[in-house]
Amino acid sequence: MPFVRRFTVLALTPVLLAGPIPAAHAFQARPQVDARPIAADEGAADLWQSLKRLQTRASLMMIVAHPDDEDGATLAYHSRGVGARVALLTLDRGEGGANVMSSDYWDALGLVRTEELLQAGRYYGLDAQYFTSMTDYGFSKSLDEALEQWGHDKVLEQAVRVVRTVRPLVVCSVFVGGPTDGHGQHATAGLMAQEVFKAAGDPAKFPEQIKEGLLPWSPVKTYARAPFFRVTEKGMYDYANHTWGPVGVTNHITGKWEEGRPSVTVSIPAGSFDPVIGETYSQISREGLGYQRSQNGGQSVPLPGSQMSDYHRFGSMLNSPPKEETFFDGIDVSLTGIADLAGSKPPAFLKPGLEEVASQIEQAMKSFSAQKPVAIASPLAKGKLKVESLLAETEKSDLSAEAKYNILHELRVKQRQFNDALIAALQLKLNADVIPAGQEDGMMAAMRGAAPTFQMATPGLAFPVKVHLYEPTVSSLTVKSVKLVGTSGKDWSISGPASPATLTAEKAVDLTFKVKVPVDEPYTRPYFTRAGLQNAAYDVAPSAPRNTPLSPYPLQAVAQVEYEGAIVELASVVQVVSKVNGPGTLRYPMPVGPALSVAMSPSAGVVPLGSKSISVSVRVHNNVKGAATPSVSLLLPEGWTAAPKSIPVKFSQEGEEQTVAFTVTPKVAEGKAYTVTAVAELDGKSYSEGYVTIGYTGLRPYFLYSQAKYVTTGTDVKMAPDVSVAYVEGSGDDVPAALEQIGVHVSYLSAQDLANADLQKYSTIVLGVRAYAVRPDLIANNARLLQYVEKGGTVIVQYNTPEFDHNFGPYPYVMSNDPEEVTDEKSVVKILDPKNPVFNWPNKITEKDFDGWIEERGSKFLQSWDPKYTALLETHDAGQPEQKGGLVYARYGKGVYIYNAYAFYRQLPLGVPGAFRLFANMLSLPKNPEIK
């Protein structure tokens, strides 16, 4: 048996528990959230991996900062190859990152990246995922900056909580907690992976957790991936600050500086080939990473080959040698090692009982057959029954509370793993779908597939759910129960047929239940919120789940069958069904939401001073099943009026969406903020919030809620008359919608337009964010853009990644593969050329226009440029060299070419006044009297 070593963790300090062992120890099948498992988790491959997990108590937890930071190959190797129980803690959800798939940013992007990481985790084989309540506030250049934003103890408390929940033998990180990590938040993850090594086992640390019933736990070892960084005679390169420093890392456990490159303690063979799955662990992990498309655009699976992941050990409770073969060297990860958690005198029943369990697992592994998985169901049933017997005996024993807690934790893990192995051996399948009311001909339904259903359940809605239970191998299985269960504790008024007595091989059981959504059922929404983007952490209600990715979905099917005396439990989340051309039939977990979703578009912006009227739009989405006729009105600031006062909306069916526009007469003063709220009335109820469905086709959707408000500021902003603007959309942004507020209505340029249209009919052409990374047609037709400028047009290139570093402008420039960014949104901005037309008409720009910016100044500054370009602005973070490549201007022929790295794509949708004023000037350049 692999990794059977000598050391077993014992808690360091006795802790008294007030009350019984926490309910977290009670067994309950984890629901299958997605309608189908991935290929690696089906059939014989699933069973073989289940056996690997049963034969070891190895456990590993990785701590990273953002989704896509994780070393997925190492996770997959340990979960699918070693059989370890593997968990991932991600400190934030990546809200401050880029997005190449959609215009979801900020908290919406955080939900996108959460869903992407959950999909990736299926490939890594994760047992569980966790998040802290921290948010990605944007790029940070140092550990100190990140800790100042987040608060050291706030992060550590949650990391300790997760370690005490998971109770891993080994903790690791991709990061070392220093400058080589390339990001202050990365460094924080590395720091936490070392600090929990001591803190999680210290009962004096966060004693409120112990009062809640969560006992201390000391991991045996902690590692970080050996960093790779440039070293020259100047020292070690700091990728965040683009500077050089001394070569080495700080060991945050000992507090000592370890000079030189960190040594490699252990090399993980992440490129090993799994003959049952048919791929290397690296390939499997890269399939998962490919689901994080908002960051990488899609899959890039390598060819099979050797790959090692090198790790440096920062701490060990053992006298560990400098070189190791595995993370678990020296640790007893055998099942019988669980008995050592009882101390020097374990109860007489424990070790022999564990040996009996191990014997059943060994027999199952020896008898495993890919052609006949059911052949090993019998020893698995015996093993499960013995584990449950040990659980009962341990509960009744006179062990100390601490020893009992730790042993029960390990036995509950094995109980769940036996349950999973029996599901795989018996090839049991449980699915639950919402179905349309009424019956369809069975043969036609089989040919057409599942019928589309509503996509959002609403309070009070009644509908049927079909539960499908199937097994192909055993002539007759006893069915103990099949039922639907709500997760909120509310009454779903569930009624349905009695469960069948038996389940026969290859004869599916379909049961139709009737349910009604409770009128007070909580909506399917994030359990974490924040009042504004300036907050570096979410607020979490005391009753909300702690550190989980999302709240449980509202309704699930649960079935219990009996095999040779062992109860096997399955659970599956109820799904809604849709059909999309291309992907085909899609099933996603059924959400609960409001009858009407109400949102204002835009939700933030500016009102130009002197505006006689503005148009305010309200978007209403109908979730009522059938016709609905709500009326929409506005709650206005004092002195404002709207026409009409109310607008009726007529919906004929669920899923429809309509936008209504009000003509609002504002009364604004410069710099003063105003709020307009939309309200929809239906059947005596008022609706003044709404949700956006985040993501893109192929990603499991989720829902970000916000109040139906338009927050605006009176702003002295002018726009030149008769400016026609075209927009080349990049990876996605909301700049065009924001520009509507200053009277700019853009025309989008397609690939065909770029190739063939008369571009000279447009005054200005704006390139969306990362356009050169996602629009090959833009690269192909770049010469036409330059001709357009030469003939008198204006081109504004917004933030682009190094794909732009190919001299696409009229004159040479260099961005580099490691371009600079200025992350402090409060960094001083200097106007270098005050007489430039960009700063003088129609709005007089001053340095005050850079007040109130959000998250960052800009990213991907040019490094150098031809003298024919003029640098217009300078800004920099503390300790950073001056950055003048964020806004460069060039005359070319009769026109103007601008490269802009400043984050207008973030500022304009959030209503930052100065950003509107400067962008209006750039758009107005073709009409500027100084341009000749």
Side-chain angles (χ1 to χ4, degrees):
M1 189 172 294
F3 309 133
V4 178
R5 300 293 189 266
R6 296 163 294 154
F7 183 86
T8 300
V9 180
L10 299 176
L12 297 179
T13 307
V15 178
L16 297 179
L17 276 180
I21 299 297
H25 280 300
F27 172 74
Q28 191 174 29
R30 291 181 176 176
Q32 176 179 300
V33 178
D34 294 280
R36 287 197 63 179
I38 65 172
D41 291 334
E42 290 199 287
D46 182 30
L47 178 55
W48 182 243
Q49 291 171 96
S50 295
L51 294 175
K52 287 183 182 180
R53 292 176 182 127
L54 276 171
Q55 55 86 46
T56 180
R57 58 180 289 257
S59 54
L60 171 71
M61 190 177 97
M62 183 176 286
I63 302 178
V64 298
H66 315 101
D68 85 352
D69 286 346
E70 67 279 356
D71 179 359
T74 291
L75 295 172
Y77 169 78
H78 282 95
S79 174
R80 299 187 181 280
V82 175
R85 178 169 56 92
V86 176
L88 176 65
L89 169 61
T90 308
L91 298 187
D92 65 50
R93 299 169 188 264
E95 297 88 344
N99 184 356
V100 304
M101 292 297 294
S102 69
S103 60
D104 292 316
Y105 287 103
W106 308 106
D107 296 359
L109 178 58
L111 291 175
V112 168
R113 298 184 70 180
T114 298
E115 289 287 3
E116 289 178 334
L117 186 56
L118 289 173
Q119 292 302 311
R122 300 171 76 198
Y123 289 82
Y124 305 154
L126 297 181
D127 184 72
Q129 288 200 47
Y130 301 89
F131 291 83
T132 75
S133 62
M134 302 300 113
T135 68
D136 178 1
Y137 53 83
F139 186 73
S140 59
K141 296 185 177 181
S142 71
L143 174 61
D144 288 343
E145 179 190 343
L147 294 177
E148 182 180 355
Q149 287 275 356
W150 281 347
H152 172 275
D153 287 358
K154 289 182 180 179
V155 185
L156 182 61
E157 187 275 332
Q158 295 182 64
V160 164
R161 177 182 291 277
V162 175
V163 169
R164 289 173 175 174
T165 300
V166 176
R167 310 182 88 71
L169 295 174
V170 173
V171 171
C172 69
S173 180
V174 173
F175 308 111
V176 298
T180 61
D181 295 327
H183 195 311
Q185 294 171 20
H186 292 171
T188 304
L191 174 69
M192 291 300 121
Q194 295 181 49
E195 289 200 352
V196 296
F197 179 71
K198 288 184 176 179
D202 183 354
K205 288 288 188 181
F206 312 112
E208 67 278 4
Q209 296 179 3
I210 298 169
K211 292 178 182 178
E212 296 169 14
L214 190 61
L215 264 66
W217 177 258
S218 295
V220 185
K221 302 180 192 177
T222 185
Y223 298 82
R225 193 164 64 183
F228 36 87
F229 48 82
R230 281 191 284 164
V231 175
T232 71
E233 67 280 356
K234 293 185 285 187
M236 176 183 70
Y237 190 62
D238 179 341
Y239 290 92
N241 292 289
H242 306 281
T243 57
W244 299 88
V247 181
V249 295
T250 298
N251 185 316
H252 295 286
I253 296 171
T254 64
K256 295 180 179 179
W257 174 257
E258 296 182 359
E259 191 171 351
R261 286 183 180 272
S263 61
V264 175
T265 309
V266 59
S267 294
I268 306 300
S272 303
F273 186 82
D274 190 309
V276 177
I277 298 175
E279 292 183 290
T280 68
Y281 300 113
S282 176
Q283 287 179 303
I284 297 167
S285 74
R286 290 288 287 273
E287 288 182 61
L289 182 64
Y291 277 86
Q292 302 193 55
R293 294 173 185 150
S294 68
Q295 304 307 295
N296 58 36
Q299 287 190 356
S300 178
V301 179
L303 296 173
S306 176
Q307 177 185 325
M308 306 300 286
S309 291
D310 295 334
Y311 279 78
H312 174 75
R313 188 183 64 238
F314 279 96
S316 175
M317 293 175 64
L318 312 176
N319 185 21
S320 298
K323 292 288 185 181
E324 296 177 311
E325 295 296 319
T326 77
F327 281 157
F328 303 103
D329 279 10
I331 306 174
D332 186 352
V333 294
S334 68
L335 262 65
T336 53
I338 294 174
D340 293 335
L341 293 168
S344 58
K345 293 183 179 181
F349 67 84
L350 187 55
K351 192 164 186 177
L354 290 168
E355 290 172 343
E356 183 179 335
V357 173
S359 175
Q360 297 294 345
I361 296 169
E362 185 177 359
Q363 180 183 340
M365 296 189 80
K366 287 180 178 178
S367 303
F368 170 77
S369 168
Q371 290 75 29
K372 195 176 181 181
V374 72
I376 63 171
S378 185
L380 291 175
K382 291 184 176 70
K384 183 173 188 290
L385 289 169
K386 185 59 183 177
V387 166
E388 288 167 350
S389 172
L390 291 174
L391 280 164
E393 290 182 275
T394 301
E395 290 274 17
K396 294 183 294 184
S397 73
D398 59 359
L399 284 163
S400 69
E402 182 183 5
K404 186 178 291 189
Y405 186 101
N406 288 328
I407 293 168
L408 287 174
H409 174 83
E410 296 281 355
L411 291 176
R412 291 295 185 194
V413 169
K414 291 302 152 191
Q415 182 187 29
R416 175 165 53 82
Q417 291 177 343
F418 268 114
N419 189 78
D420 293 343
L422 275 166
I423 292 172
L426 299 172
Q427 299 289 284
L428 284 161
K429 308 290 182 185
L430 177 68
N431 297 89
D433 287 346
V434 172
I435 59 173
Q439 296 296 316
E440 186 180 18
D441 177 81
M443 182 176 294
M444 294 303 295
M447 293 173 61
R448 295 173 181 167
T453 66
F454 62 79
Q455 298 300 293
M456 180 71 73
T458 54
L461 178 68
F463 56 91
V465 174
K466 184 175 77 173
V467 177
H468 181 86
L469 183 62
Y470 173 84
E471 64 89 10
T473 56
V474 180
S475 59
S476 180
L477 271 179
T478 300
V479 177
K480 305 295 288 185
S481 64
V482 181
K483 58 186 178 181
L484 292 178
V485 177
T487 60
S488 67
K490 309 288 185 182
D491 182 8
W492 278 72
S493 304
I494 299 168
S495 62
S499 301
T502 59
L503 183 63
T504 304
E506 297 188 331
K507 292 185 178 179
V509 168
D510 288 318
L511 302 175
T512 300
F513 293 84
K514 294 180 180 179
V515 303
K516 185 176 182 180
V517 183
V519 294
D520 56 348
E521 178 69 14
Y523 295 163
T524 305
R525 65 198 304 171
Y527 67 85
F528 43 89
T529 60
R530 56 174 168 168
L533 296 177
Q534 72 278 5
N535 294 348
Y538 289 113
D539 297 319
V540 178
S543 60
R546 297 285 186 92
N547 303 118
T548 61
L550 300 166
S551 297
Y553 284 97
L555 191 62
Q556 61 190 42
V558 179
Q560 287 187 341
V561 301
E562 184 177 346
Y563 179 81
E564 294 189 4
I567 301 300
V568 184
E569 183 171 295
L570 303 88
S572 185
V573 170
V574 172
Q575 310 280 314
V576 292
V577 181
S578 62
K579 291 192 175 182
V580 178
N581 288 337
T585 299
L586 299 175
R587 286 180 168 86
Y588 292 123
M590 184 198 75
V592 171
L596 298 174
S597 171
V598 185
M600 300 201 69
S601 179
S603 59
V606 297
V607 175
L609 297 183
S611 296
K612 295 182 179 180
S613 67
I614 60 173
S615 180
V616 173
S617 296
V618 181
R619 187 176 66 252
V620 185
H621 181 91
N622 178 42
N623 289 318
V624 176
K625 309 309 175 278
T629 54
S631 63
V632 182
S633 59
L634 300 178
L635 301 178
L636 297 166
E638 185 178 355
W640 293 37
T641 60
K645 291 185 176 181
S646 177
I647 300 177
V649 181
K650 292 185 178 180
F651 294 116
S652 60
Q653 59 186 6
E654 178 253 348
E656 287 185 318
E657 189 167 285
Q658 292 189 34
T659 298
V660 296
F662 293 84
T663 299
V664 174
T665 302
K667 185 179 180 181
V668 299
E670 184 173 5
K672 186 175 181 181
Y674 303 87
T675 299
V676 178
T677 302
V679 180
E681 302 278 349
L682 178 67
D683 297 333
K685 294 183 179 180
S686 298
Y687 300 87
S688 58
E689 73 168 349
Y691 61 85
V692 291
T693 303
I694 60 89
Y696 43 83
T697 301
L699 181 69
R700 189 171 67 196
Y702 208 71
F703 312 94
L704 179 65
Y705 281 76
S706 61
Q707 293 297 308
K709 292 183 177 181
Y710 170 49
V711 180
T712 188
T713 304
T715 302
D716 183 11
V717 55
K718 303 176 185 68
M719 183 71 202
D722 303 321
V723 174
S724 57
V725 178
Y727 206 84
V728 180
E729 194 168 22
S731 59
D733 61 68
D734 291 327
V735 169
L739 294 177
E740 297 273 344
Q741 298 170 85
I742 56 173
V744 176
H745 310 287
V746 308
S747 300
Y748 290 94
L749 295 183
S750 67
Q752 185 174 358
D753 293 330
L754 283 173
N756 301 309
D758 176 16
L759 301 181
Q760 300 305 139
K761 65 182 180 181
Y762 301 109
S763 309
T764 303
I765 296 178
V766 181
L767 308 190
V769 300
R770 302 186 74 171
Y772 282 93
V774 299
R775 293 286 297 266
D777 57 299
L778 173 60
I779 295 173
N781 293 289
N782 192 73
R784 293 197 77 225
L785 277 183
L786 296 182
Q787 291 171 6
Y788 160 81
V789 176
E790 192 173 20
K791 293 179 181 179
T794 295
V795 164
I796 302 169
V797 182
Q798 292 191 87
Y799 147 76
N800 266 265
T801 42
E803 289 87 354
F804 180 65
D805 199 15
H806 295 283
N807 283 323
F808 290 119
Y811 311 112
Y813 59 84
V814 174
M815 175 182 281
S816 86
N817 288 323
D818 188 22
E820 294 275 3
E821 43 196 303
V822 180
T823 61
D824 184 356
E825 67 274 21
K826 297 178 182 178
S827 63
V828 174
V829 178
K830 296 179 182 178
I831 296 175
L832 301 177
D833 185 9
K835 295 181 180 180
N836 189 279
V838 166
F839 300 124
N840 290 288
W841 190 85
N843 305 291
K844 179 62 177 177
I845 302 301
T846 69
E847 291 171 2
K848 187 177 179 181
D849 285 298
F850 296 93
D851 292 347
W853 282 48
I854 296 170
E855 190 191 286
E856 63 179 350
R857 284 300 186 200
S859 181
K860 310 301 181 282
F861 284 56
L862 296 185
Q863 186 179 86
S864 61
W865 48 91
D866 187 277
K868 294 184 179 68
Y869 290 104
T870 300
L872 300 182
L873 297 173
E874 189 284 318
T875 188
H876 60 276
D877 288 328
Q880 183 183 30
E882 290 188 344
Q883 297 301 312
K884 299 180 180 180
L887 190 66
V888 296
Y889 167 102
R891 293 298 307 270
Y892 181 63
K894 298 179 180 179
V896 175
Y897 187 94
I898 293 175
Y899 174 74
N900 159 60
Y902 284 79
F904 287 96
Y905 76 101
R906 295 191 187 276
Q907 314 308 318
L908 297 176
L910 294 173
V912 177
F916 274 93
R917 285 166 44 81
L918 179 52
F919 211 83
N921 279 14
M922 290 191 287
L923 293 174
S924 300
L925 281 171
K927 306 292 183 179
N928 192 311
E930 297 182 44
I931 302 292
K932 298 179 181 179

